[in-house]
Amino acid sequence: MTDPGDVLETVECAPGAPSVVLTFDDGPHPPDTDTLLDVLAHEQVRAVFCLVGEQVVAHPDVVRRIVDQGHVLGNHSFHHHDMQEWAPDQVREDLQRTLEVIDGAAPGAPVPYFRAPFGHWGRAIPVATGLGMRPLGWQLAVGDWDPPGVGELVNGMTGVAPGGIVLLHDGGGDRSQTVEAVAALIPRLRADGWTFAVPG
């Protein structure tokens, strides 16, 4: 069984200065990841990118750009398969393979987090911990995997709590709506006094 306390869903923030953590799953996936990186660079916001191994193999240059821009990496498995029923050895083989291809793309880049595909942790938490990664959950999933429109995505962020980790996607399909929503959302949140953080 998964202990919910083992999964990081929020981060601490200073009183009166609410922070939010933006995380992006299933990439890297050009051109959406590249455009998203342009937005984040323009806004000077760091984020967490939870990478899928096969996408890393296909787009190592984008992984290097993510790292060069100071973002944080997460391991999101090699093929984004559901690990719920996997044995620990099977999980370990998959996560290690993903770590190896990430290191091949961006040698020496730390990968401090693991996010289970579909949020189905199964037996993965102790395996990920043993490989030096902390399980990364979320406080708010915006629901961009089936794009509902930019306005709906922006409105979906209203449920974020101070310190909340927000689940978004830069891969797994056309994520241009997500990129547009993020570009609209960052200045709006900033105007309301929010800051942007990555987990410590």
Side-chain angles (χ1 to χ4, degrees), residues 13-99:
C13 51
S19 60
V20 60
V21 179
L22 300 181
T23 71
F24 299 94
D25 284 11
D26 299 356
H29 181 256
D32 298 320
T33 305
D34 293 299
T35 309
L36 176 63
L37 288 168
D38 290 342
V39 170
L40 296 174
H42 175 74
E43 297 290 349
Q44 298 184 341
V45 169
R46 294 174 68 208
V48 182
F49 284 81
C50 297
L51 306 178
V52 172
E54 61 185 354
Q55 292 297 109
V56 171
V57 172
H59 308 290
D61 54 325
V62 184
V63 177
R64 286 190 288 275
R65 185 180 173 199
I66 291 169
V67 172
D68 288 346
Q69 289 187 203
H71 300 291
V72 177
L73 301 183
N75 182 328
H76 198 37
S77 82
F78 200 86
H79 293 295
H80 201 275
H81 291 158
D82 191 334
M83 296 180 167
Q84 180 69 31
E85 303 299 329
W86 286 17
D89 286 348
Q90 188 178 4
V91 174
R92 185 175 298 105
E93 181 181 359
D94 185 282
L95 299 191
Q96 286 180 324
R97 183 183 181 193
T98 306
L99 288 172

